[in-house]
């Protein structure tokens, strides 16, 4: 049986591609090596932080990281490795950290962030999904005087920013202690519950007739001269007119098409716990100097942090969990974290914060939807829309202005 569209990878990107495709009346099959219950798309902070937030590769990132390392608060861990790609990636990352690129990235973040927020809103209001979408802004909490002062200078537009001193910050973040310097509310940002998004999306897609083939790892792509004719697992072969790869940090299938995607796995951690209601934050926030996010959810709170490069171990390393807790506790009042769930996952990180989207150069029915890095939840609906448009309008990459914008 020849299928119409197969999406390999049922993380948030794969599901959002399916969402936009079924809206266009397409028949879609999603194949995933797991049960769609624990990818990066489940344990993340759920921040929709497209607005007024610099990319990861901003000018000064190297110096800032070194300073944090000296203070013992750096989120970055680098495991020396023989994998040359990691060093190429690091070199490109450093090259990307310049003003011109940052400006361009932030312009794109603004456009696609708005498309994404609008689509999440539509999913709740029209499709009836419960995503716990909260449009209350993102509070950037500063722990260093110097960085806070620098941020204030850039945040003088009251329509987009609210600058808060320590006392005012505590109205948003009652568990903060006096070691913080203050905060800036980035008003346009939002957050949602990542796991809820995934479960609601899956339920919705099933109701729309999307086929899910789970616990099936695709190991091979079968090619003719210009197309991929099938994907293959250990026991089965699936044929389709179009194949979308949304495999997160895993790049070995793209390599089969001689495309070595410039992305690396960047391991991160989350702790999800219950805390006293009166200390719960009123909106999502980021301890900007330490890269620790905190997201209030309906019944609990989640903190996420760390950027571990050179490791693909799926083990939750206790040293990292302790380090997150210690850094967090320096700036918060003492309180009990109850029923804590510890988690780790991998961001599919490109060196310049730009996703890798579009048709393969040689095999035109093979489409990539990869490399969303630390912004997969933020942009997933927009990415799904772009990929759907590329397929439904039978466009080349050059004919799709969104794909060209990211290039
Ligand atoms: C700690 C942490 C915090 C984060 N916080 C945020 C945040 O606040 N906001 C934000 O926007 N983003 C955040 N992110 C990033 C976000 O989680 C990712 O960008 C996003 O989940 C990537 O989605 P994906 O679909 O590309 O990959 P994944 O969610 O990893 O999904 C890929 C899927 O592909 C499947 N797969 C892979 N290879 C195969 C194969 N060969 N055969 C079959 N199936 C396969 C996997 O099983 C998996 O289900 C965070 C990430 C981490 C780790």
């Amino acid at each position: 049986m020849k299928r119409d569209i197969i999406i390999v990878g049922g993380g948030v990107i794969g599901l959002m591609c399916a969402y936009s495709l079924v809206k266009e009346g397409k028949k879609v099959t999603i194949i995933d090596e797991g049960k769609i219950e624990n990818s990066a798309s489940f344990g993340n902070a759920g921040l929709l932080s497209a607005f007024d937030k610099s990319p990861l590769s901003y000018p000064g990132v190297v110096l800032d990281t070194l300073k944090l390392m000296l203070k013992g608060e750096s989120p970055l861990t680098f495991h020396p490795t023989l994998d040359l790609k990691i060093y190429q990636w690091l070199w490109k990352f450093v090259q990307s950290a310049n003003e011109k690129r940052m400006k361009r990235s932030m312009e794109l973040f603004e456009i696609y962030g708005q498309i994404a927020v609008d689509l999440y809103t539509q999913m709740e209001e029209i499709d009836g999904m419960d995503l716990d979408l909260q449009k209350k802004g993102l509070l950037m909490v500063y722990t260093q005087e110097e960085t806070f002062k620098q941020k204030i200078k850039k945040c003088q537009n009251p329509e987009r920013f609210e600058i808060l001193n320590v006392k005012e910050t505590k109205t948003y973040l009652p568990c903060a202690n006096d070691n913080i310097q203050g905060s800036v509310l980035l008003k346009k940002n939002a957050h949602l519950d990542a796991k809820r998004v995934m479960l609601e999306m899956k339920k919705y897609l099933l109701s729309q007739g999307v086929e899910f083939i789970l616990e099936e790892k695709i190991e091979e792509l079968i090619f003719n001269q210009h197309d991929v004719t099938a994907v293959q697992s250990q026991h089965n072969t699936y044929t389709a007119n179009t194949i979308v790869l949304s495999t997160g940090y895993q790049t070995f299938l793209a390599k089969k098409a001689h495309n070595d995607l410039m992305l690396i796995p960047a391991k991160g951690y989350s702790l999800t716990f219950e805390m006293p209601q009166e200390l719960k934050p009123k909106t999502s926030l980021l301890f900007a100097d330490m890269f620790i996010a905190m997201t209030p959810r309906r019944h609990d709170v989640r903190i996420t942090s760390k950027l571990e490069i050179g490791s693909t171990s799926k083990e939750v390393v206790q040293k990292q969990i302790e380090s997150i807790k210690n850094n967090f506790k320096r700036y918060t009042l003492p309180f009990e974290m109850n029923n804590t769930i510890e988690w780790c996952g991998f961001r599919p990180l490109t060196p310049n914060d730009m996703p890798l989207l579009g048709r393969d150069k040689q095999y035109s029915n093979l489409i990539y939807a990869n490399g969303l890095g630390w912004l997969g939840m933020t942009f997933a609906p927009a990415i799904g829309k772009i990929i759907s448009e590329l397929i439904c309008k039978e466009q080349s990459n050059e004919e799709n202005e969104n794909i060209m914008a990211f290039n």
Side-chain angles (χ1 to χ4, degrees):
M1 168 183 127
K2 191 168 189 180
R3 289 172 166 83
D4 190 8
I5 300 162
I6 287 182
I7 298 175
V8 183
V12 71
I13 301 301
L15 298 193
M16 290 294 180
C17 289
Y19 173 82
S20 282
L21 285 162
V22 290
K23 289 271 178 201
E24 294 296 326
K26 296 288 178 190
K27 284 198 77 62
V28 181
T29 299
I30 294 174
I31 304 181
D32 199 285
E33 67 178 333
K35 291 186 191 161
I36 310 202
E37 57 184 29
N38 197 29
S39 65
S41 303
F42 281 82
N44 66 68
L47 308 181
L48 306 182
S49 52
F51 306 103
D52 303 306
K53 188 140 170 343
S54 25
L56 211 54
S57 56
Y58 65 89
V61 61
V62 178
L63 195 64
D64 286 354
T65 307
L66 289 172
K67 279 187 202 160
L68 281 175
M69 277 176 162
L70 289 176
K71 276 184 87 183
E73 290 181 357
S74 171
L76 181 73
T77 310
F78 180 70
H79 300 273
T81 160
L82 294 176
D83 184 354
L84 271 183
K85 186 173 171 182
I86 303 249
Y87 299 99
Q88 285 172 343
W89 186 99
L90 282 170
W91 175 239
K92 282 180 188 285
F93 175 79
V94 173
Q95 282 182 317
S96 303
N98 60 65
E99 284 291 344
K100 193 174 158 202
R101 180 159 271 288
M102 182 173 80
K103 191 164 169 272
R104 176 77 182 132
S105 299
M106 288 179 72
E107 281 165 10
L108 292 175
F109 286 4
E110 178 95 16
I111 297 167
Y112 294 98
Q114 193 55 55
I115 295 174
V117 171
D118 291 347
L119 275 169
Y120 277 127
T121 308
Q122 172 185 310
M123 284 172 197
E124 285 207 322
E125 289 178 1
I126 297 173
D127 303 314
M129 295 185 216
D130 174 8
L131 313 176
D132 200 5
L133 175 63
Q134 303 286 336
K135 296 179 194 172
K136 295 179 180 171
L138 172 70
L139 192 70
M140 302 290 285
V141 181
Y142 288 84
T143 54
Q144 295 177 43
E145 197 182 349
E146 190 191 329
T147 50
F148 184 42
K149 279 184 182 159
Q150 280 166 8
K151 186 71 183 173
I152 289 175
K153 275 189 210 151
K154 295 180 194 156
C155 297
Q156 294 302 322
N157 178 353
E159 275 177 28
R160 300 183 72 109
F161 309 107
E162 190 179 347
I163 296 164
L164 304 161
N165 62 24
V166 174
K167 194 172 163 215
E168 289 159 344
T169 301
K170 285 181 183 178
T171 63
Y172 282 92
L173 180 61
C175 68
N177 67 24
D178 288 332
N179 294 335
I180 61 163
Q181 300 290 328
S183 64
V184 178
L185 183 68
L186 310 185
K187 291 182 180 178
K188 282 199 76 184
N189 291 300
H191 70 267
L192 37 62
D193 179 336
K195 181 176 175 186
R196 200 175 276 275
V197 170
M198 293 299 288
L199 297 180
E200 289 282 288
M201 286 286 292
K202 189 175 166 203
K203 195 166 81 181
Y204 176 82
L205 293 174
L206 280 168
S207 78
Q208 299 300 303
V210 171
E211 179 188 27
F212 281 84
I213 301 174
L214 301 182
E215 298 185 83
E216 186 86 327
K217 179 172 183 167
I218 298 303
E219 292 179 347
E220 284 297 340
L221 302 180
I222 311 296
F223 302 99
N224 67 19
Q225 208 184 345
H226 299 296
D227 280 326
V228 177
T229 53
V231 297
Q232 233 170 26
S233 67
Q234 202 178 357
H235 300 295
N236 296 303
T237 300
Y238 304 93
T239 56
N241 296 321
T242 303
I243 310 287
V244 178
L245 294 186
S246 50
T247 48
Y249 74 95
Q250 299 194 61
T251 53
F252 73 92
L253 283 177
K255 252 190 192 159
K256 309 255 176 194
H258 314 292
N259 198 347
D260 194 5
L261 300 179
M262 188 38 81
L263 66 85
I264 58 167
K267 190 172 176 181
Y269 291 78
S270 68
L271 290 101
T272 308
F273 53 85
E274 291 158 18
M275 67 185 285
Q277 190 62 29
E278 66 278 10
L279 292 182
K280 238 175 136 176
K282 303 289 180 277
T283 187
S284 56
L285 60 112
L286 191 68
F287 286 96
D289 301 315
M290 297 187 297
F291 198 57
I292 295 182
M294 185 175 194
T295 319
R297 293 136 48 90
R298 219 165 269 167
H299 304 295
D300 50 30
V301 171
R302 176 170 285 173
I303 55 177
T304 65
S305 189
K306 297 292 172 194
L307 205 119
E308 221 178 311
I309 290 176
S311 165
T312 47
S313 157
K314 291 183 180 162
E315 184 199 355
V316 173
V317 177
Q318 278 311 310
K319 203 173 138 194
Q320 294 286 43
I321 296 286
E322 287 312 313
S323 156
I324 297 173
K325 283 187 182 168
N326 289 337
N327 287 339
F328 179 73
K329 282 176 184 169
R330 280 183 211 181
Y331 301 99
T332 52
L333 301 170
F335 67 86
E336 284 288 322
M337 295 181 180
N338 291 318
N339 299 323
T340 305
I341 298 169
E342 298 166 355
W343 173 93
C344 68
F346 298 93
R347 305 170 187 90
L349 209 59
T350 60
N352 56 7
D353 299 284
M354 288 295 117
L356 304 169
L357 305 178
R359 293 185 189 275
D360 187 81
K361 284 205 174 79
Q362 185 173 355
Y363 307 106
S364 62
N365 70 336
L366 178 63
I367 293 173
Y368 302 102
N370 293 88
L372 270 297
W374 57 286
L375 288 164
M377 294 311 291
T378 303
F379 292 124
I383 301 301
K385 200 164 184 255
I386 295 169
I387 297 296
S388 164
E389 192 180 57
L390 185 73
I391 295 172
C392 298
K393 294 189 177 165
E394 298 182 11
Q395 292 170 325
S396 65
N397 290 339
E398 291 71 22
E399 285 167 334
N400 186 302
E401 60 180 35
N402 298 304
I403 289 193
M404 293 322 283
F406 284 115
N407 279 339

